[in-house]
Amino acid sequence: MSVQPIDTWWFVVKGGKRDCLVDLEHGTCDCGVFAIECIPCPHAIAAATFSGVDVATLVSLYYLNEFLFSGYSENIYPCVGEVEARKCLPPEQKRGPERQKKSIWQSWLELSRFKGRKPRKQHRDYRCSNCQETGHKRPHCTN
């Protein structure tokens, strides 16, 4: 990727799928990945490498171990009175006999990356293995 500086924090990064304008000071890029995930995108990494900024400083503080450990630094006490007073019953909803559907929620970034691709299986014209004609398969062959 080619990087062209605009000023000390702004860069134009050309290459890849699109050309982007990167602001290292505020953590933004035209592709949107840097601002949403708070992890530098390839454009921001190229701009940081060009300007001599350490890429690890661009990652959000939420991803650091110290931030994770600070949430568990104090003692966590259970709620004794409230839990014993309530009954916890399983849900009354029964599952049907059919196979469960795949329910993976994808982020907008994953959906946009796979938008332009072809489907996995392309429709093919099937031929009968007995008579080699198209339009039917062997179980429905009249020959």
Side-chain angles (χ1 to χ4, degrees):
M1 290 187 191
S2 64
V3 180
Q4 297 175 351
I6 297 174
D7 63 7
T8 55
W9 294 105
W10 286 84
F11 297 91
V12 175
V13 180
K14 294 183 178 181
K17 291 185 178 178
R18 58 185 285 188
D19 300 341
C20 291
L21 185 66
V22 179
D23 180 13
L24 293 179
E25 184 179 14
H26 296 103
T28 59
C29 181
D30 285 348
C31 68
V33 177
F34 192 16
I36 297 285
E37 294 184 357
C38 299
I39 297 174
C41 63
H43 309 107
I45 293 172
T49 306
F50 179 82
S51 65
V53 176
D54 187 22
V55 179
T57 60
L58 300 176
V59 178
S60 176
L61 298 175
Y62 298 119
Y63 292 105
L64 298 178
N65 287 339
E66 293 83 20
F67 191 83
L68 176 68
F69 295 146
S70 68
Y72 297 98
S73 62
E74 297 180 12
N75 294 334
I76 301 173
Y77 299 104
C79 303
V80 178
E82 295 178 18
V83 175
E84 293 175 359
R86 297 181 186 171
K87 279 189 173 181
C88 295
L89 299 174
E92 295 183 12
Q93 179 182 358
K94 284 190 171 182
R95 272 194 350 215
E98 69 274 354
R99 182 177 176 180
Q100 283 187 338
K101 294 179 182 175
K102 183 178 177 183
S103 60
I104 297 176
W105 288 82
Q106 295 179 338
S107 69
W108 69 271
L109 180 65
E110 293 171 330
L111 292 173
S112 67
R113 285 183 181 162
F114 296 116
K115 200 177 234 183
R117 293 193 180 172
K118 294 180 181 177
R120 287 184 184 173
K121 293 183 180 177
Q122 297 290 329
H123 178 70
R124 295 195 301 180
D125 292 332
Y126 291 103
R127 291 183 174 266
C128 177
S129 59
N130 285 340
C131 63
Q132 301 299 324
E133 292 181 7
T134 59
H136 66 277
K137 294 185 182 179
R138 188 175 52 90
H140 301 288
C141 186
T142 56
N143 295 338

